[in-house]
Amino acid sequence: MNTFETLGLPKPVLAAITELGFETPTPIQEKVIPVLLTGTTDVVALAQTGTGKTAGFGLPLVSLIDFASKSTQALILAPTRELCMQITSDIKNFSKHTRGANVVAVYGGASIMNQIYDLKKGAQIVVATPGRMVDIISRNKVDLSTIKYVVLDEADEMLNMGFQEDLDAILSTTPKEKNTWLFSATMPDEVLRISRKYMHEPVEITVGNKNQGNDNIEHVFYVTHERDRYAVLKRVADFHPDIFGLVFCRTKIETQKVADMLIKDGYNADALHGDLSQAQRDHVMKRFRGRTLQMLVATDVAARGIDVNDITHVIHYQLPDEIENYTHRSGRTARAGKTGISIAIINTRDLNKIRTLERLTKKRFTQGTIPSGYEICEKQLFWLVQRVHDTQVNEKSIESYLPKVYEQLKELTREEIIKRLVSIEFNRFLDYYKNAADLNANAAGGGEREHRPTREGMVRLFVSVGQMDGLTRDSLKTLIAESTGMDENIITWADVKNSFSFIEVKTEVSEALINAIKGKEFRNRPIRIESRGNREEGIPRQRDRGGRKEWGGGGERRGGSGGGYKGRSSSGGGYRGGSGGGGSFRERSGSGGGERRSSGGGFRERSGSGGSREKSGGGGFRERSGSGGGERSSGGGFSKKGGFGKKKDF
Ligand code: AMP
């Protein structure tokens, strides 16, 4: 077993450790200290609080710093003021017997002038929260040009708290030649992105105690606008080319719709819900188990008890109506000691539900950044390269063709061939994601919430139709008037959103209007008008009904009146593929040799300003049907079986 002595720490530091009463290194210290002490490498360490990680980076740091110099050599960034203070105090303890050591903490909520004064005296180590650090940098009160070590402590938490931009700003002002040590309890994509962007071939260190069961699930949520929900799903799939996932929807209709759209967009997906016969369900499950299917879209009920191993992602296309279903859903991944990711696609109103979930499950939920088109292209490119690298060549079968192949390619250099080979696939993604919008909704900004205060004597009503139905403010008023026989002028204000609208009417006519519209349809879709009631506040309350916890919201569950997020239950989530009742958004059909995006251009954006910003079409390529034994939409270039060399429909 290692001791602090054998780890290579210098004498003054060892003396400090003894005084602190540390007898043996913790597992993370054992692993990380020797690597960090080399002072020559970037490190990514997966470590929770309480594992001794502060000493893990603090001890090597005070061993490496040249305290004879007063220049700032190390910057430690941490998410909170408390952590900053804790780290500072620990580092001071570690450097107790080291002459000339000066550690300064800078964080928000305290006098910046005092902190600047402390910095002026010459601090070799600065411990900072990102926001305050940016402030100090912008005032030119710190010289980071001499930085040799940057520590990102609780990196996931910093990103979770929205410090991404600040981190970018800070890291870009530090010298290129430095070591970056990143510590994080979880490793969401955002942390990986930071490590990719700012670190050079980092050594990865994880402490060995594999957590059991649900602790192996990483909980992530993406906040987007309602209209972009499906586009986000596709991005998740595209960003994880080897995804083997379970997508949960709340209703059978929505489940089928999402599966249909995925299939249509070229993904290797299918639906599982109660409207299928037992034989159909068995068939779907067989394909999923056999990994012929890469994404299974399912209802909570149908997916109960699915015991498929190695599911990499559980995606909550919508959060479940009943809270405990979240745990059931997520538990489909990370089985048998494996790890898995549970991703919830939510809109800004659902943020409270995430907080409720965090409280109830005692798990931390990280807000993820929806991958950009650029990141997806990059990911796909390297995945493709990896597949080329790993492809097993059937020497015997290909042998006789090779002379002709070589002949055909003889004018091309090796580099040219590589470039062209990967471009065959890469270009599709580039085309598709070129100019792709940022789908992240500003969580703090309230997304689609309506902030205009309702005037006195008026009531605001929710209407289940919107721009997607081809409606404008005026035509919505006319539609309501014609459908109810009431005067158009009773509507004093209207706000037409993408898939729903709000109107204001006098309180005394609201009930009559709600009743008069009942049973009316527009383009085969029922028009519903409901009082927003408590939903306006958007504060879901957890209630216990018949032993089942539900998200509150001042009304019944989906399908009834009220309920925070049931606006479009009948239409299944803010988009309507081709089958939708004449809305302005239609899926492409039959353009360019098939209905998949693989044909490149020709995607149709939703018309109307509020339409989806993601093109229709979607992910992977499909193998020609027939290869999977005549199954519907079989194959998909993403499946393990679907080798790169197989015939594809482009
Ligand atoms: P941390 O994860 O850095 O917050 O550390 C958790 C707690 O463990 C702190 O109170 C440290 O002082 C303590 N600690 C760190 N390393 C050791 C060690 N090797 N032996 C005993 N206690 C330690």
Side-chain angles (χ1 to χ4, degrees):
M1 194 173 59
N2 268 314
T3 62
F4 282 111
E5 279 85 351
T6 57
L7 292 180
L9 293 163
K11 279 212 168 96
V13 177
L14 290 172
I17 292 170
T18 310
E19 280 179 35
L20 284 167
F22 295 359
E23 285 172 12
T24 48
T26 65
I28 185 75
Q29 291 164 0
E30 228 176 344
K31 282 195 169 182
V32 92
I33 290 174
V35 180
L36 296 184
L37 270 180
T38 64
T40 55
T41 181
D42 287 352
V43 168
V44 170
L46 245 153
Q48 319 265 346
T49 17
T51 54
K53 68 178 164 61
T54 315
F57 63 77
L59 295 172
L61 203 59
V62 298
S63 309
L64 290 166
I65 298 278
D66 173 14
F67 288 109
S69 158
K70 284 204 170 234
S71 65
T72 303
Q73 297 158 58
L75 173 64
I76 302 172
L77 293 168
T80 62
R81 166 198 168 110
E82 287 68 31
L83 189 58
C84 252
M85 295 191 327
Q86 183 61 49
I87 295 169
T88 308
S89 148
D90 286 357
I91 302 247
K92 280 183 176 165
N93 281 332
F94 304 152
S95 57
K96 207 169 168 183
H97 298 290
T98 312
R99 279 173 63 122
N102 193 18
V103 189
V104 166
V106 297
Y107 44 78
S111 158
I112 194 166
M113 294 320 289
N114 289 348
Q115 293 171 356
I116 290 170
Y117 179 77
D118 288 343
L119 287 172
K120 252 195 186 151
K121 288 194 279 183
Q124 296 97 348
I125 303 177
V126 176
V127 188
T129 50
R132 178 54 61 96
M133 196 63 212
V134 168
D135 208 341
I136 285 177
I137 291 172
S138 66
R139 292 172 191 226
N140 235 342
K141 297 297 182 195
V142 66
D143 178 11
L144 298 183
S145 67
T146 47
I147 289 286
K148 289 187 180 141
Y149 308 97
V150 170
V151 182
L152 303 173
D153 193 19
E154 301 203 356
D156 49 355
E157 200 52 51
M158 284 198 279
L159 295 170
N160 203 13
M161 289 168 72
F163 285 132
Q164 170 99 45
E165 270 178 35
D166 290 349
L167 287 182
D168 280 331
I170 297 164
L171 292 174
S172 60
T173 53
T174 56
K176 271 216 153 68
E177 272 68 48
K178 63 173 184 293
N179 289 154
T180 305
W181 305 344
L182 185 152
F183 284 74
S184 193
T186 57
M187 219 27 86
D189 291 336
E190 292 65 39
V191 176
L192 288 175
R193 204 173 303 144
I194 285 271
S195 75
R196 249 184 271 130
K197 194 164 171 189
Y198 293 105
M199 301 171 77
H200 181 66
E201 295 178 0
V203 174
E204 286 182 30
I205 294 171
T206 315
V207 247
N209 63 329
K210 275 267 163 269
N211 294 323
Q212 294 289 307
N214 282 347
D215 284 348
N216 287 349
I217 303 172
E218 185 186 327
H219 299 271
V220 179
F221 62 98
Y222 289 132
V223 187
T224 193
H225 293 289
E226 197 55 48
R227 61 174 178 254
D228 293 328
R229 203 179 277 279
Y230 176 67
V232 173
L233 175 64
K234 287 197 298 182
R235 287 207 187 178
V236 171
D238 287 347
F239 193 68
H240 300 280
D242 50 358
I243 192 171
F244 179 50
L246 198 48
V247 181
F248 281 98
C249 296
R250 288 183 308 194
T251 64
K252 292 183 254 187
I253 293 171
E254 187 176 68
T255 300
Q256 191 60 57
K257 209 167 242 175
V258 170
D260 285 347
M261 287 165 77
L262 286 171
I263 293 165
K264 195 173 177 188
D265 285 344
Y267 293 88
N268 196 1
D270 214 336
L272 185 76
H273 55 73
D275 280 353
L276 302 177
S277 69
Q278 189 58 45
Q280 282 171 317
R281 274 190 270 172
D282 290 346
H283 182 59
V284 170
M285 277 314 297
K286 195 170 157 215
R287 291 170 62 213
F288 189 54
R289 270 184 227 287
R291 287 183 167 245
T292 313
L293 277 184
Q294 206 176 3
M295 284 199 286
L296 180 64
V297 191
T299 57
D300 290 292
V301 177
R304 210 155 267 172
I306 286 185
D307 59 344
V308 176
N309 278 340
D310 300 328
I311 290 175
T312 57
H313 292 76
V314 164
I315 301 170
H316 310 263
Y317 188 75
Q318 301 262 12
L319 283 172
D321 287 331
E322 287 147 21
I323 294 168
E324 64 261 40
N325 273 343
Y326 179 87
T327 313
H328 292 153
R329 289 175 172 190
S330 309
R332 303 292 130 223
T333 183
R335 297 169 75 82
K338 303 260 171 54
T339 55
I341 301 174
S342 172
I343 297 178
I345 304 173
I346 66 163
N347 61 32
T348 47
R349 292 190 205 180
D350 286 340
L351 278 168
N352 288 315
K353 293 179 190 169
I354 296 290
R355 302 294 160 234
T356 307
L357 276 172
E358 279 190 321
R359 221 179 41 247
L360 292 172
T361 60
K362 298 198 172 46
K363 297 273 181 291
R364 196 154 56 159
F365 283 58
T366 315
Q367 180 171 355
T369 309
I370 299 161
S372 66
Y374 175 82
E375 285 159 339
I376 290 171
C377 289
E378 190 187 37
K379 192 82 179 261
Q380 289 284 346
L381 174 64
F382 289 109
W383 192 67
L384 172 67
V385 172
Q386 192 60 44
R387 277 195 299 157
V388 172
H389 182 269
D390 296 346
T391 291
Q392 298 215 332
V393 176
N394 189 332
E395 303 282 357
K396 249 195 158 159
S397 309
I398 205 162
E399 201 175 32
S400 58
Y401 302 105
L402 283 177
K404 204 164 172 216
V405 172
Y406 294 143
E407 176 64 24
Q408 262 185 289
L409 297 175
K410 74 169 188 269
E411 267 124 57
L412 299 177
T413 62
R414 176 178 182 269
E415 281 70 29
E416 275 301 323
I417 293 172
I418 292 172
K419 254 192 290 180
R420 289 176 196 213
L421 178 69
V422 296
S423 293
I424 292 173
E425 185 61 8
F426 183 53
N427 286 351
R428 286 196 313 106
F429 280 92
L430 275 184
D431 279 349
Y432 181 65
Y433 280 113
K434 185 169 56 190
N435 305 325
D438 179 1
L439 300 186
N440 292 284
N442 174 10
E448 294 189 356
R449 279 187 56 186
E450 182 50 57
H451 293 295
R452 180 181 175 276
T454 312
R455 282 174 294 157
E456 227 190 332
M458 309 297 288
V459 66
R460 186 166 303 178
L461 302 173
F462 168 89
V463 190
S464 64
V465 286
Q467 285 169 1
M468 279 169 47
D469 304 280
L471 292 167
T472 60
R473 197 179 309 179
D474 286 339
S475 58
L476 175 72
K477 285 183 183 180
T478 310
L479 170 69
I480 293 172
E482 282 176 4
S483 305
T484 58
M486 295 172 86
D487 192 327
E488 202 175 304
N489 292 327
I490 63 162
I491 302 167
T492 54
W493 172 87
D495 183 13
V496 182
K497 304 277 189 198
N498 185 41
S499 49
F500 55 89
S501 307
F502 296 113
I503 56 169
E504 262 180 26
V505 297
K506 282 205 171 120
T507 309
E508 59 262 33
V509 298
S510 68
E511 210 181 333
L513 181 66
I514 291 169
N515 287 331
I517 204 96
K518 275 187 185 146
K520 298 290 187 308
E521 286 188 348
F522 180 56
R523 295 178 174 173
N524 300 326
R525 265 218 315 150
I527 317 173
R528 287 179 297 108
I529 298 187
E530 298 166 2
S531 167
R532 293 188 74 198
N534 291 345
R535 288 185 299 159
E536 193 137 322
E537 303 310 319
I539 306 169
R541 293 183 301 275
Q542 185 199 324
R543 295 179 304 154
D544 211 321
R545 283 182 12 166
R548 291 192 301 191
K549 293 193 190 77
E550 295 169 14
W551 312 106
E556 290 168 28
R557 284 165 47 203
R558 290 160 45 77
S561 68
Y565 52 95
K566 64 190 175 46
R568 268 151 299 104
S569 59
S570 60
S571 68
Y575 50 80
R576 288 187 301 287
S579 58
S584 57
F585 169 48
R586 246 175 292 129
E587 298 274 352
R588 296 181 310 131
S589 64
S591 71
E595 48 192 18
R596 291 170 289 282
R597 71 170 194 186
S598 43
S599 57
F603 298 115
R604 201 113 57 92
E605 303 259 7
R606 276 193 214 184
S607 63
S609 59
S612 167
R613 289 169 293 156
E614 196 85 330
K615 299 156 193 170
S616 73
F621 37 83
R622 283 207 247 170
E623 293 170 32
R624 291 197 195 285
S625 64
S627 63
E631 286 170 354
R632 186 162 69 119
S633 78
S634 85
F638 298 136
S639 86
K640 296 266 187 275
K641 288 182 178 173
F644 185 57
K646 288 196 177 183
K647 272 187 174 178
K648 309 287 184 311
D649 282 337
F650 286 107

